[in-house]
Amino acid sequence: MQVTESIIIGIFLIVMIVMGFYFSKRALKSEDDYWTAGRNINSFVGAIALFAALTSASSLMGAVGSGVEMGLPFLFVYGFGVTCTLPFTLFLVSGQIRRSGVRTVPEFFLKRYGMSVSILAALIVVIGMTFYMVPQLTASGLIGSYVLGIDYATAVIVLGLGFTIYAALGGMWAITYTDLIQGMIILVGLAILAIVILFEHDGIGNLLSAALAVDPEFGEVTQPWLSYFGLFIAFLWFGVVSPSAVMRNFASKDARTARRSAMGACFLYASVFVFGFVIASAGANLDMIGSLDNSDMIFISVVEYYLPPILAGIMFAALISAIMSSADAMLLAISAGVAQDIYKGFINKEAREKTVTRLGLVVMFVASIIGIVIASIPRN
Amino acid sequence: MEEHGKKRSIFTDSGIILLIVMLLLAAFIFIWWPTDIFVGGVSLVAWLLFSSHFILCGLCIIYVVWMEKLEKRSSVHESKKDDVPL
């Protein structure tokens, strides 16, 4: 167990859960508050929250790990693909979907195409988001067990229940404001790590030369063209099709705020890959990729090599932030899909607002437990 | 969107125009794909993709400013219409 890092992660978890309790009264009073934070989120908060929701463990550990393993072009095509999601969403849906005045993606389909498409959309959201949450829980188990020194399944349960408590209690209010803090931790953590690495190597030129001396293929295209193009195409659609991202638009004050939030999130997401360039170069320089079971763990190796325990603790909190901020948004989408779209939209149209928000709360716990059980199943 | 009874072409929409610019940028990189040209030991493909991040941010700024100008113009137009004496 790494004591300093564990204390920092423990404090971080407690703060997140306290925020859930703080926002619970406000969130549970109406459907608008629970699923769209009263449509009252400004551009600054919205931009960082959207950025945090899109930044998953994959964007940090996965991108850097694959960059070290398969070269800088792979890291940058990853960055280009995921950063493109924001202008893609901005140009096509951000303002338009906010003006529609709906609370969920299936509700948008209900207005446009009718009940059957809406129900189908809700089922796809619920099933898709439940399974999409599993990799986030798996990553939280890997990082949690590594840092906290507990076994993998316990780490999945502790961290999984951590984000479920604040998300279920505080709905979109808690999710947005915890994402604000989590997004800031991600940015500060990445910036600190990149700055320390650059100081250590006297600038990016020396760092890159050192990385290329260790691995001459680091700057090369190592995979077939289709691998890069396929990755770009797969990521491009994420912001438009993922309810966890689209729901952020519903929480914005107005269409103008939704557009500005997406623009701000684009700047922040692009910065992740500028920092990622530095971190991947440092990872290549360590020449450890062959000795690791999983290339994603190169990120952890870089953190431990370059940062003292206190700063490493902040960086690990940033990694957990990236996981939680994505998973909580997925939970909210599942909850809205069941309580708002299927229950109120189809089963009981006269349901009281409090009944619907409380059903949403229960659904979050149920979905989280299903995700935790699936993520905890040992794999070879 | 309808204006003076005429349906406007989708290609005059600011979002569609900038989407086309973004897709042209992606097409340029993926069609050219200069894997064998190296700058500072790194393939030009990587540098093109890296610099594209900044272009994407620029496109976002252009869209937001463009839309806000359009909205401002339409709100001025609306308020002028409201000022017409009955």
Side-chain angles (χ1 to χ4, degrees):
Chain A
M1 183 181 187
Q2 299 171 51
V3 179
T4 313
E5 289 92 329
S6 298
I7 291 170
I8 291 172
I9 288 174
I11 294 169
F12 165 76
L13 261 182
I14 291 166
V15 170
M16 295 297 112
I17 291 170
V18 168
M19 286 179 75
F21 279 99
Y22 174 78
F23 284 108
S24 61
K25 202 176 169 190
R26 197 188 300 185
L28 290 166
K29 75 177 184 209
S30 76
E31 290 166 23
D32 251 356
D33 281 289
Y34 199 69
W35 281 293
T36 62
R39 302 173 201 269
N40 208 18
I41 300 300
N42 64 36
S43 315
F44 175 76
V45 176
I48 298 179
L50 176 59
F51 155 73
L54 287 171
T55 309
S56 62
S58 157
S59 321
L60 302 180
M61 292 171 71
V64 168
S66 53
V68 175
E69 195 175 20
M70 292 182 263
L72 274 177
F74 201 88
L75 170 70
F76 290 145
V77 84
Y78 193 119
F80 182 55
V82 293
T83 308
C84 269
T85 62
L86 284 153
F88 196 63
T89 311
L90 174 63
F91 301 156
L92 293 181
V93 302
S94 286
Q96 294 87 328
I97 213 162
R98 175 61 190 86
R99 273 198 301 271
S100 69
V102 298
R103 293 192 192 103
T104 65
V105 176
E107 198 181 337
F108 181 78
F109 287 130
L110 176 69
K111 270 192 159 183
R112 202 167 168 132
Y113 302 110
M115 180 65 85
S116 50
V117 176
S118 167
I119 295 289
L120 183 65
L123 289 174
I124 291 171
V125 166
V126 171
I127 296 167
M129 288 286 110
T130 304
F131 283 97
Y132 190 35
M133 203 170 54
V134 173
Q136 306 302 323
L137 287 162
T138 307
S140 72
L142 288 172
I143 298 167
S145 59
Y146 183 80
V147 178
L148 303 173
I150 52 181
D151 70 279
Y152 166 80
T154 312
V156 170
I157 294 167
V158 169
L159 296 172
L161 286 180
F163 71 74
T164 307
I165 290 170
Y166 76 70
L169 287 174
M172 185 60 111
W173 276 113
I175 287 173
T176 302
Y177 280 92
T178 51
D179 283 4
L180 172 69
I181 293 175
Q182 290 162 358
M184 285 174 164
I185 293 173
I186 295 169
L187 286 170
V188 170
L190 288 175
I192 290 172
L193 180 58
I195 289 166
V196 169
I197 292 168
L198 289 175
F199 266 103
E200 191 97 1
H201 289 272
D202 290 328
I204 187 70
N206 288 338
L207 173 65
L208 190 56
S209 302
L212 288 167
V214 171
D215 178 8
E217 284 194 348
F218 181 56
E220 291 179 17
V221 172
T222 58
Q223 306 297 310
W225 176 84
L226 200 58
S227 305
Y228 299 86
F229 186 65
L231 191 69
F232 165 72
I233 292 293
F235 279 133
L236 183 62
W237 296 97
F238 182 81
V240 180
V241 299
S242 171
S244 58
V246 176
M247 281 181 80
R248 303 301 169 138
N249 295 305
F250 304 137
S252 297
K253 268 183 184 166
D254 48 31
R256 180 172 174 257
T257 310
R259 288 194 298 264
R260 286 184 170 209
S261 299
M263 178 185 74
C266 181
F267 297 162
L268 300 176
Y269 216 177
S271 75
V272 166
F273 292 91
V274 176
F275 296 136
F277 174 28
V278 176
I279 298 165
S281 302
N285 188 45
L286 289 182
D287 198 17
M288 289 173 73
I289 197 79
S291 61
L292 297 171
D293 293 336
N294 185 336
S295 64
D296 293 359
M297 292 303 279
I298 194 75
F299 193 100
I300 306 279
S301 305
V302 172
V303 171
E304 290 191 319
Y305 184 84
Y306 285 95
L307 296 182
I310 288 186
L311 294 180
I314 294 173
M315 198 58 239
F316 288 137
L319 282 176
I320 292 174
S321 295
I323 294 164
M324 286 186 160
S325 57
S326 301
D328 60 14
M330 292 168 200
L331 266 185
L332 191 78
I334 297 166
S335 155
V338 174
Q340 181 73 38
D341 300 314
I342 297 177
Y343 180 71
K344 186 158 187 186
F346 191 61
I347 298 170
N348 181 7
K349 288 187 175 159
E350 304 304 316
R352 287 169 55 231
E353 296 225 4
K354 277 199 171 176
T355 312
V356 180
T357 55
R358 276 175 176 70
L359 177 63
L361 184 150
V362 173
V363 169
M364 280 208 210
F365 277 101
V366 173
S368 175
I369 289 166
I370 292 170
I372 287 170
V373 168
I374 298 171
S376 304
I377 295 169
R379 291 175 185 81
N380 292 325
Chain B
M1 196 188 292
E2 292 208 8
E3 204 175 72
H4 308 300
K6 279 184 186 172
K7 196 171 186 186
R8 282 177 57 194
S9 162
I10 191 171
F11 295 105
T12 59
D13 181 273
S14 49
I16 298 295
I17 292 169
L18 289 170
L19 179 72
I20 291 168
V21 173
M22 191 181 90
L23 293 179
L24 284 175
L25 170 70
F28 169 71
I29 296 171
F30 283 104
I31 291 169
W32 185 22
W33 204 242
T35 53
D36 296 331
I37 303 170
F38 285 84
V39 179
V42 176
S43 171
L44 186 57
V45 166
W47 292 125
L48 286 174
L49 289 164
F50 181 66
S51 44
S52 298
H53 288 81
F54 304 101
I55 298 172
L56 293 176
C57 292
L59 291 178
C60 286
I61 296 172
I62 292 169
Y63 179 72
V64 168
V65 172
W66 191 346
M67 286 304 292
E68 287 181 8
K69 277 195 172 170
L70 284 178
E71 282 173 350
K72 202 173 172 186
R73 204 181 298 160
S74 83
S75 68
V76 168
H77 183 72
E78 288 297 314
S79 63
K80 273 186 182 169
K81 260 174 40 182
D82 291 345
D83 289 344
V84 175
L86 294 170

